[in-house]
Amino acid sequence: MSARKVTKIGVLTSGGDAPGMNAAVRAVVRTGIYHGLEVFGIIRGYSGMIDDDIIPMDSRSVANIIQRGGTILKTARCKEFFEPEGRKKAFENLKKKGIDGLVIIGGDGSFRGAQKFSNEFDIPCIGLPGTIDKDIAGTDFTIGFDTAVNTAVDAIDKIRDTADAHDRLFIVEVMGRDAGYIALHSGIATGAENILIPESKTDMEELVHSLTEKEKRKKLVNLVVVAEGDEFGGANEVAAVIKKRIPQADVRVCILGHIQRGGSPTCLDRLIASRMGYHAVECLLNGKHNVMVGIVNNNLYYTPLDNAIKAKQKISEEWLKIVKILAS
C-alpha cells in the first residue's frame, strides 16, 4: 500500500441498514472537513459508486441527522460489484473525482467487497461495523445492535403483558439469520423461558419437556424467543411442533421483523458511531489502512479487514448456562 497522503474521501453505507449509521456518516464528514479533506457521500453503497451517484458533502449536509434511524446515504446490495468490470467502473468514477480514501459502514459482506477493491486499485479503505446482528469479530459493539435489541425488548415486554392476561405461550421471532445475539440479549432481558439461537443446537424434546413441566407447575405465562436463523426453523416451525405435542397450550406467534431495523438510535449507538467515525478518518490520515475500527474493553481496536470478515463472534457457554438457570 502506498504511503501517499489522502486528500479526498468517500463515505458509504452498505448492506442492511442499522440505526446509528447516520451518526457515523456525520462523524466521518465533520472530522474530514476539520482536517481539511474534501468529503463525498456515495449514495446506495457500491451501486452508487458504479452509477457515479457521488455527491460532495459539507457540515450542513449532516446537520440534524444524528437522531435519525436508517441512513441518509441509502443502502443497497450490489451484485455488479462482485464482478471485475463493476469494480473497475467504480474505480474510474472515484478517480474522476480524485477520491483517494474510503470509509465503508456495513457488515462482513461490505468489508469483503472493500478488501477486494482496495487490493485491486490501491485505494485505502476503513471499515466501520454497522450491523444489528453484532456478528463481526474484533469489536464488542456494532453500530445498530443496541437499538435493535432495545426495540426487541420493548416489543417482548408488551407481548408478555398480553400473554399474562390470557395465560398464553408466545413464540417471538427476532432477527438474526447467522447470529443469535439479539435473541440471546432480548430473551435474557425479558425473562424468556427458552431462547433458540443458531449457535446452539435446538433440542425440541427438551423444549417440549420444559414447557410441559412448567404447565404442571401452573406457570402459565411462557415466552420462547427464537432467532430467525435457528437451525430448527423460525417461530412458525417451532409453534407447529409445540401445538402438536402440547395440544392444550394456547400458542401464539409474533414475528418482530423489520421493526428492529428502524427507529431513533440509542445513546450508546450514537456514541460508538461517532467515536468510530472520528477514528476512521484519523486512520486514513495516519496511514493505517484496510482495517475495521472496533471497540474492545472500551479501547479502540483495529482489525485487518480480511480478519474482520472471516471471523465471527462466539457466544460464550456462560451465557447459555445463565439462560438455562434463570429460566428454570
Side-chain angles (χ1 to χ4, degrees):
M1 185 62 64
S2 58
R4 65 182 180 275
K5 189 169 159 40
V6 171
T7 57
K8 298 182 181 184
I9 63 171
V11 57
L12 61 98
T13 50
S14 172
D17 62 306
M21 279 183 162
N22 281 328
V25 170
R26 174 181 178 270
V28 169
V29 171
R30 293 199 167 165
T31 306
I33 288 165
Y34 173 83
H35 285 293
L37 303 177
E38 281 185 59
V39 186
F40 293 83
I42 299 165
I43 311 298
R44 291 174 299 103
Y46 294 124
S47 293
M49 215 187 279
I50 290 169
D51 298 337
D52 199 16
D53 201 353
I54 302 170
I55 57 169
M57 298 188 83
D58 58 21
S59 278
R60 289 186 64 185
S61 312
V62 291
N64 202 30
I65 67 166
I66 196 168
Q67 78 283 8
R68 287 168 57 185
T71 161
I72 61 161
L73 293 179
K74 310 286 185 191
T75 182
R77 301 182 197 275
C78 179
K79 285 184 181 164
E80 223 184 316
F81 200 75
F82 292 136
E83 305 302 325
E85 303 77 41
R87 292 192 297 274
K88 189 171 188 305
K89 200 172 168 189
F91 172 68
E92 292 301 332
N93 288 331
L94 295 185
K95 199 169 143 189
K96 219 163 44 184
K97 290 184 169 57
I99 295 170
D100 47 16
L102 287 175
V103 178
I104 294 95
I105 307 161
D108 61 349
S110 308
F111 296 162
R112 211 172 287 122
Q115 180 72 6
K116 200 161 202 152
F117 186 69
S118 181
N119 289 342
E120 285 174 351
F121 299 106
D122 193 26
I123 284 199
C125 293
I126 304 295
L128 298 187
T131 166
I132 65 168
D133 291 329
K134 200 171 95 80
D135 59 350
I136 295 173
T139 185
D140 292 340
F141 304 100
T142 58
I143 296 163
F145 172 75
D146 189 63
T147 308
V149 87
N150 274 292
T151 298
V153 165
D154 184 51
I156 296 168
D157 281 346
K158 291 182 168 83
I159 289 165
R160 185 179 272 284
D161 289 345
T162 188
D164 184 39
H166 293 274
D167 295 339
R168 280 176 176 153
L169 161 62
F170 266 89
I171 319 284
V172 183
E173 181 178 305
V174 298
M175 281 183 156
R177 205 171 45 234
D178 305 308
Y181 283 99
I182 293 177
L184 182 75
H185 286 237
S186 64
I188 290 173
T190 55
E193 274 62 48
N194 297 87
I195 301 168
L196 310 183
I197 56 176
E199 292 86 347
S200 174
K201 190 163 175 55
T202 297
D203 186 335
M204 199 45 74
E205 287 305 314
E206 192 185 323
L207 176 62
V208 169
H209 175 72
S210 144
L211 291 171
T212 308
E213 281 301 305
K214 280 166 184 165
E215 194 180 37
K216 281 180 193 164
R217 292 185 352 228
K218 298 285 182 240
K219 184 168 187 192
L220 299 169
V221 179
N222 282 302
L223 274 172
V224 176
V225 176
V226 186
E228 62 181 321
D230 179 61
E231 49 105 33
F232 187 82
N236 285 316
E237 289 83 354
V238 173
V241 173
I242 292 171
K243 280 175 187 169
K244 198 173 177 184
R245 297 288 298 276
I246 317 175
Q248 69 275 24
D250 188 1
V251 183
R252 293 287 188 275
V253 169
C254 188
I255 296 170
L256 298 187
H258 282 77
I259 186 175
Q260 295 156 91
R261 281 206 186 279
S264 185
T266 59
C267 176
L268 179 62
D269 272 331
R270 297 181 201 196
L271 288 175
I272 62 166
S274 299
R275 191 177 178 194
M276 288 174 174
Y278 165 82
H279 281 282
V281 177
E282 294 286 318
C283 282
L284 288 172
L285 290 169
N286 296 330
K288 194 189 282 281
H289 299 155
N290 293 15
V291 294
M292 181 195 80
V293 178
I295 296 173
V296 176
N297 296 329
N298 206 29
N299 293 314
L300 267 292
Y301 188 82
Y302 303 101
T303 305
L305 280 183
D306 48 0
N307 292 356
I309 59 186
K310 283 177 192 160
K312 295 280 183 189
Q313 290 270 38
K314 294 281 183 288
I315 288 179
S316 76
E317 288 300 316
E318 183 197 19
W319 276 121
L320 301 175
K321 192 177 175 186
I322 288 170
V323 172
K324 213 162 201 163
I325 291 169
L326 298 189
S328 58

